[in-house]
PDB file of all heavy atoms in Angstrom:
ATOM      1  N   PRO A  86     -83.221  11.258  47.892  1.00 68.00           N
ATOM      2  CA  PRO A  86     -82.935  12.323  46.927  1.00 68.00           C
ATOM      3  C   PRO A  86     -83.494  13.674  47.347  1.00 68.00           C
ATOM      4  O   PRO A  86     -82.867  14.714  47.111  1.00 68.00           O
ATOM      5  CB  PRO A  86     -83.587  11.821  45.628  1.00 68.00           C
ATOM      6  CG  PRO A  86     -84.563  10.793  46.059  1.00 68.00           C
ATOM      7  CD  PRO A  86     -83.997  10.173  47.285  1.00 68.00           C
ATOM      8  N   ILE A  87     -84.677  13.677  47.978  1.00 70.00           N
ATOM      9  CA  ILE A  87     -85.254  14.941  48.444  1.00 70.00           C
ATOM     10  C   ILE A  87     -84.379  15.538  49.541  1.00 70.00           C
ATOM     11  O   ILE A  87     -84.098  16.745  49.545  1.00 70.00           O
ATOM     12  CB  ILE A  87     -86.677  14.719  48.978  1.00 70.00           C
ATOM     13  CG1 ILE A  87     -87.577  14.107  47.887  1.00 70.00           C
ATOM     14  CG2 ILE A  87     -87.274  16.016  49.491  1.00 70.00           C
ATOM     15  CD1 ILE A  87     -87.780  15.000  46.703  1.00 70.00           C
ATOM     16  N   ALA A  88     -83.936  14.692  50.472  1.00 74.00           N
ATOM     17  CA  ALA A  88     -83.105  15.168  51.580  1.00 74.00           C
ATOM     18  C   ALA A  88     -81.772  15.711  51.071  1.00 74.00           C
ATOM     19  O   ALA A  88     -81.297  16.765  51.517  1.00 74.00           O
ATOM     20  CB  ALA A  88     -82.875  14.052  52.589  1.00 74.00           C
ATOM     21  N   VAL A  89     -81.146  14.997  50.124  1.00 74.00           N
ATOM     22  CA  VAL A  89     -79.867  15.450  49.573  1.00 74.00           C
ATOM     23  C   VAL A  89     -80.036  16.778  48.845  1.00 74.00           C
ATOM     24  O   VAL A  89     -79.221  17.702  48.992  1.00 74.00           O
ATOM     25  CB  VAL A  89     -79.279  14.384  48.629  1.00 74.00           C
ATOM     26  CG1 VAL A  89     -78.046  14.929  47.909  1.00 74.00           C
ATOM     27  CG2 VAL A  89     -78.908  13.127  49.409  1.00 74.00           C
ATOM     28  N   ALA A  90     -81.111  16.888  48.059  1.00 72.00           N
ATOM     29  CA  ALA A  90     -81.363  18.140  47.349  1.00 72.00           C
ATOM     30  C   ALA A  90     -81.584  19.289  48.321  1.00 72.00           C
ATOM     31  O   ALA A  90     -81.099  20.408  48.108  1.00 72.00           O
ATOM     32  CB  ALA A  90     -82.580  17.987  46.432  1.00 72.00           C
ATOM     33  N   LEU A  91     -82.316  19.015  49.407  1.00 71.00           N
ATOM     34  CA  LEU A  91     -82.580  20.057  50.408  1.00 71.00           C
ATOM     35  C   LEU A  91     -81.280  20.524  51.065  1.00 71.00           C
ATOM     36  O   LEU A  91     -81.039  21.728  51.223  1.00 71.00           O
ATOM     37  CB  LEU A  91     -83.547  19.528  51.459  1.00 71.00           C
ATOM     38  CG  LEU A  91     -83.977  20.521  52.555  1.00 71.00           C
ATOM     39  CD1 LEU A  91     -84.678  21.713  51.933  1.00 71.00           C
ATOM     40  CD2 LEU A  91     -84.898  19.829  53.563  1.00 71.00           C
ATOM     41  N   LEU A  92     -80.421  19.571  51.425  1.00 70.00           N
ATOM     42  CA  LEU A  92     -79.141  19.922  52.044  1.00 70.00           C
ATOM     43  C   LEU A  92     -78.262  20.736  51.079  1.00 70.00           C
ATOM     44  O   LEU A  92     -77.595  21.694  51.481  1.00 70.00           O
ATOM     45  CB  LEU A  92     -78.407  18.655  52.480  1.00 70.00           C
ATOM     46  CG  LEU A  92     -79.003  17.910  53.683  1.00 70.00           C
ATOM     47  CD1 LEU A  92     -78.282  16.580  53.895  1.00 70.00           C
ATOM     48  CD2 LEU A  92     -78.910  18.759  54.941  1.00 70.00           C
ATOM     49  N   LYS A  94     -79.325  22.606  48.605  1.00 70.00           N
ATOM     50  CA  LYS A  94     -79.906  23.940  48.439  1.00 70.00           C
ATOM     51  C   LYS A  94     -79.539  24.839  49.624  1.00 70.00           C
ATOM     52  O   LYS A  94     -79.253  26.032  49.456  1.00 70.00           O
ATOM     53  CB  LYS A  94     -81.424  23.837  48.285  1.00 70.00           C
ATOM     54  CG  LYS A  94     -81.882  23.385  46.909  1.00 70.00           C
ATOM     55  CD  LYS A  94     -83.378  23.372  46.801  1.00 70.00           C
ATOM     56  CE  LYS A  94     -83.809  22.943  45.418  1.00 70.00           C
ATOM     57  NZ  LYS A  94     -83.424  23.923  44.363  1.00 70.00           N
ATOM     58  N   VAL A 113     -78.004  22.150  41.672  1.00 75.00           N
ATOM     59  CA  VAL A 113     -78.996  21.337  42.390  1.00 75.00           C
ATOM     60  C   VAL A 113     -80.279  21.247  41.569  1.00 75.00           C
ATOM     61  O   VAL A 113     -80.810  22.279  41.148  1.00 75.00           O
ATOM     62  CB  VAL A 113     -79.322  21.945  43.772  1.00 75.00           C
ATOM     63  CG1 VAL A 113     -80.207  20.997  44.574  1.00 75.00           C
ATOM     64  CG2 VAL A 113     -78.052  22.255  44.536  1.00 75.00           C
ATOM     65  N   PRO A 114     -80.801  20.031  41.332  1.00 77.00           N
ATOM     66  CA  PRO A 114     -82.068  19.912  40.602  1.00 77.00           C
ATOM     67  C   PRO A 114     -83.231  20.416  41.457  1.00 77.00           C
ATOM     68  O   PRO A 114     -83.181  20.361  42.686  1.00 77.00           O
ATOM     69  CB  PRO A 114     -82.179  18.411  40.340  1.00 77.00           C
ATOM     70  CG  PRO A 114     -81.376  17.777  41.423  1.00 77.00           C
ATOM     71  CD  PRO A 114     -80.254  18.718  41.696  1.00 77.00           C
ATOM     72  N   SER A 115     -84.266  20.881  40.790  1.00 79.00           N
ATOM     73  CA  SER A 115     -85.447  21.361  41.503  1.00 79.00           C
ATOM     74  C   SER A 115     -86.249  20.171  42.030  1.00 79.00           C
ATOM     75  O   SER A 115     -86.126  19.042  41.533  1.00 79.00           O
ATOM     76  CB  SER A 115     -86.324  22.197  40.574  1.00 79.00           C
ATOM     77  OG  SER A 115     -86.859  21.386  39.539  1.00 79.00           O
ATOM     78  N   PHE A 116     -87.094  20.418  43.020  1.00 79.00           N
ATOM     79  CA  PHE A 116     -87.944  19.350  43.558  1.00 79.00           C
ATOM     80  C   PHE A 116     -88.936  18.866  42.504  1.00 79.00           C
ATOM     81  O   PHE A 116     -89.301  17.697  42.466  1.00 79.00           O
ATOM     82  CB  PHE A 116     -88.672  19.838  44.811  1.00 79.00           C
ATOM     83  CG  PHE A 116     -87.755  20.121  45.963  1.00 79.00           C
ATOM     84  CD1 PHE A 116     -87.658  21.391  46.507  1.00 79.00           C
ATOM     85  CD2 PHE A 116     -86.970  19.119  46.500  1.00 79.00           C
ATOM     86  CE1 PHE A 116     -86.804  21.652  47.570  1.00 79.00           C
ATOM     87  CE2 PHE A 116     -86.098  19.364  47.555  1.00 79.00           C
ATOM     88  CZ  PHE A 116     -86.020  20.638  48.090  1.00 79.00           C
ATOM     89  N   ARG A 117     -89.364  19.779  41.651  1.00 84.00           N
ATOM     90  CA  ARG A 117     -90.272  19.389  40.565  1.00 84.00           C
ATOM     91  C   ARG A 117     -89.594  18.407  39.614  1.00 84.00           C
ATOM     92  O   ARG A 117     -90.198  17.430  39.179  1.00 84.00           O
ATOM     93  CB  ARG A 117     -90.721  20.646  39.809  1.00 84.00           C
ATOM     94  CG  ARG A 117     -91.649  20.361  38.631  1.00 84.00           C
ATOM     95  CD  ARG A 117     -92.044  21.653  37.927  1.00 84.00           C
ATOM     96  NE  ARG A 117     -92.876  21.391  36.774  1.00 84.00           N
ATOM     97  CZ  ARG A 117     -93.328  22.323  35.954  1.00 84.00           C
ATOM     98  NH1 ARG A 117     -93.026  23.596  36.188  1.00 84.00           N
ATOM     99  NH2 ARG A 117     -94.071  22.005  34.918  1.00 84.00           N
ATOM    100  N   LEU A 118     -88.325  18.680  39.306  1.00 83.00           N
ATOM    101  CA  LEU A 118     -87.579  17.781  38.420  1.00 83.00           C
ATOM    102  C   LEU A 118     -87.349  16.421  39.075  1.00 83.00           C
ATOM    103  O   LEU A 118     -87.423  15.376  38.412  1.00 83.00           O
ATOM    104  CB  LEU A 118     -86.238  18.421  38.056  1.00 83.00           C
ATOM    105  CG  LEU A 118     -85.410  17.704  36.981  1.00 83.00           C
ATOM    106  CD1 LEU A 118     -86.182  17.623  35.676  1.00 83.00           C
ATOM    107  CD2 LEU A 118     -84.091  18.424  36.759  1.00 83.00           C
ATOM    108  N   LEU A 119     -87.093  16.406  40.386  1.00 82.00           N
ATOM    109  CA  LEU A 119     -86.926  15.138  41.098  1.00 82.00           C
ATOM    110  C   LEU A 119     -88.213  14.327  41.072  1.00 82.00           C
ATOM    111  O   LEU A 119     -88.199  13.104  40.888  1.00 82.00           O
ATOM    112  CB  LEU A 119     -86.499  15.405  42.548  1.00 82.00           C
ATOM    113  CG  LEU A 119     -85.055  15.877  42.752  1.00 82.00           C
ATOM    114  CD1 LEU A 119     -84.823  16.215  44.216  1.00 82.00           C
ATOM    115  CD2 LEU A 119     -84.062  14.829  42.284  1.00 82.00           C
ATOM    116  N   LEU A 120     -89.359  14.999  41.268  1.00 84.00           N
ATOM    117  CA  LEU A 120     -90.642  14.304  41.213  1.00 84.00           C
ATOM    118  C   LEU A 120     -90.895  13.736  39.825  1.00 84.00           C
ATOM    119  O   LEU A 120     -91.364  12.600  39.680  1.00 84.00           O
ATOM    120  CB  LEU A 120     -91.769  15.266  41.598  1.00 84.00           C
ATOM    121  CG  LEU A 120     -93.191  14.684  41.543  1.00 84.00           C
ATOM    122  CD1 LEU A 120     -93.314  13.485  42.484  1.00 84.00           C
ATOM    123  CD2 LEU A 120     -94.224  15.748  41.898  1.00 84.00           C
ATOM    124  N   GLN A 121     -90.548  14.507  38.812  1.00 88.00           N
ATOM    125  CA  GLN A 121     -90.684  14.016  37.439  1.00 88.00           C
ATOM    126  C   GLN A 121     -89.801  12.788  37.221  1.00 88.00           C
ATOM    127  O   GLN A 121     -90.205  11.824  36.569  1.00 88.00           O
ATOM    128  CB  GLN A 121     -90.295  15.114  36.446  1.00 88.00           C
ATOM    129  CG  GLN A 121     -90.435  14.718  34.990  1.00 88.00           C
ATOM    130  CD  GLN A 121     -90.017  15.837  34.046  1.00 88.00           C
ATOM    131  OE1 GLN A 121     -90.013  17.006  34.425  1.00 88.00           O
ATOM    132  NE2 GLN A 121     -89.670  15.487  32.825  1.00 88.00           N
ATOM    133  N   GLY A 122     -88.597  12.827  37.784  1.00 87.00           N
ATOM    134  CA  GLY A 122     -87.702  11.678  37.679  1.00 87.00           C
ATOM    135  C   GLY A 122     -88.264  10.438  38.345  1.00 87.00           C
ATOM    136  O   GLY A 122     -88.167   9.328  37.813  1.00 87.00           O
TER     137      GLY A 122
END
Side-chain angles (χ1 to χ4, degrees):
I87 302 296
V89 172
L91 183 60
L92 289 173
K94 283 183 179 294
V113 187
S115 66
F116 294 119
R117 179 180 177 182
L118 188 60
L119 287 175
L120 178 59
Q121 182 181 338

